[in-house]
Amino acid sequence: MPIAVDIDVMLARRKMSVGELADRIGITPANLAVLKNGRAKAVRFSTLAALCEVLDCQPGDLLRWETEQAEAVAQSEDPEQPESD
């Protein structure tokens, strides 16, 4: 998917755990992990707003568009990342 998710970057900058963030925005750690790892097919604006509020950031700090070519290069550099269908 050409949308990259940088929640982990913001978590590191804020020195916050996934569990703490999930608790503060009101979703399960498992659902946050799906979103954080880029496996989500959609995100509610209310969830995005809560993420921005808790992490004190803008949506563009959490989401960015990448070309399909850039994504393929990133996957080839990360052998643990499964290839998409």
Side-chain angles (χ1 to χ4, degrees), residues 5-24:
V5 181
D6 290 328
I7 293 174
D8 53 347
V9 173
M10 292 306 296
L11 282 170
R13 287 182 182 165
R14 302 298 186 252
K15 295 181 173 77
M16 187 181 298
S17 70
V18 172
E20 180 183 352
L21 178 60
D23 194 42
R24 290 179 64 182

Side-chain angles (χ1 to χ4, degrees), residues 35-78:
L35 181 59
K36 183 176 82 70
N37 295 324
R39 295 188 313 259
K41 299 293 181 191
V43 61
R44 293 178 185 208
F45 281 164
S46 59
T47 301
L48 184 57
L51 284 165
C52 290
E53 182 177 352
V54 170
L55 294 171
D56 189 28
C57 65
Q58 294 294 313
D61 296 326
L62 302 175
L63 303 171
R64 63 188 155 80
W65 178 79
E66 291 184 342
T67 64
E68 295 285 340
Q69 190 174 29
E71 181 183 8
V73 169
Q75 284 183 352
S76 68
E77 293 173 356
D78 185 1

